[in-house]
Amino acid sequence: MATLGRGYAIAFRQRDREIIRSFRDIAPGERLETRLAEGIVISTVEDTRDA
C-alpha cells in the first residue's frame, strides 16, 4: 500500500479485523494488528485515553 510506504501505519482489532479510528474503538486487553510498510506488529492494549 502506498499509504504505508509514506510512513503511516494501519491498526486493526485482531478479533474482527476492523480498522481502529478512535481510542473509543478499543478497550484494555484487546489485541491489535498494526500493519507497517515492512511487517506487522501484534500488541495488546494496556490503556486508552482521549488526547
Side-chain angles (χ1 to χ4, degrees), residues 2 4 7 9-11 16-17 19 23 25-27 29-31 42 44-45 47-48 50:
L4 301 178
I10 301 173
D16 61 8
R17 308 274 305 143
I19 293 174
F23 75 97
D25 294 342
I26 54 174
E30 286 197 86
R31 305 232 337 139
I42 305 297
T44 302
V45 176
D47 191 18
T48 63
D50 195 354

Side-chain angles (χ1 to χ4, degrees), residues 33-46:
E33 180 176 311
T34 305
R35 293 193 155 218
L36 311 170
E38 294 184 8
I40 296 171
V41 175
I42 305 297
S43 56
T44 302
V45 176
E46 290 186 13

Side-chain angles (χ1 to χ4, degrees), residues 3-19:
T3 301
L4 301 178
R6 292 192 301 267
Y8 292 93
I10 301 173
F12 302 86
R13 273 192 312 249
Q14 199 173 39
R15 67 180 158 90
D16 61 8
R17 308 274 305 143
E18 287 292 320
I19 293 174

